[in-house]
Amino acid sequence: MGNTVAVLMRKAPYGSVYTAEGYRSMMGIGVFEMDLSVVFVDDGVYALVKDQNPAALEQKPLGDGFPMLKDFGVTRFYVHRGSLEERGLAPESLVMDVELLDDAGVAAVLASSGIVLPF
């Protein structure tokens, strides 16, 4: 449990720095080859939606970067099924394959992590 980290993505991808900072944290953690799990819950699931176009906000799409995290050794991505369903999203609407978890699954991932970084 000592070197295990869970990054908990809870916020919508635009309108704050949370998603971008979470993404940068994942890259850094991956480079140091720590055991990392990424969990998307609540509005954080929007970060993975395909075909984002935040040009009107003068921002670049964040979702396209998440599949590239595998190049940094980040390979465990989880999405809370209930959060997806509450927002009318399906796994097919995401930019990458993820493992869907129920409430107990999310709790288990977080409980098994030595450090939880909420974004």
Side-chain angles (χ1 to χ4, degrees), residues 36-49:
L36 175 62
S37 298
V38 183
V39 183
F40 294 85
V41 300
D42 301 329
D43 285 344
V45 300
Y46 288 125
L48 294 179
V49 173

Side-chain angles (χ1 to χ4, degrees), residues 14-94:
Y14 307 103
S16 73
V17 299
Y18 288 103
T19 302
E21 291 303 317
Y23 181 84
R24 283 190 271 282
S25 296
M26 290 175 223
M27 286 186 357
I29 294 166
V31 166
F32 288 104
E33 299 180 354
M34 296 179 75
D35 184 15
L36 175 62
S37 298
V38 183
V39 183
F40 294 85
V41 300
D42 301 329
D43 285 344
V45 300
Y46 288 125
L48 294 179
V49 173
K50 291 179 185 174
D51 302 321
Q52 297 176 24
N53 184 9
L57 302 172
E58 298 182 6
Q59 293 188 348
K60 295 185 182 199
L62 296 170
D64 295 341
F66 285 99
M68 291 186 256
L69 286 169
K70 291 181 181 181
D71 295 339
F72 292 87
V74 183
T75 59
R76 287 195 310 280
F77 295 90
Y78 304 100
V79 171
H80 180 241
R81 182 186 310 272
S83 295
L84 270 187
E85 291 171 353
E86 288 170 10
R87 287 151 184 84
L89 299 171
E92 299 78 33
S93 63
L94 305 180

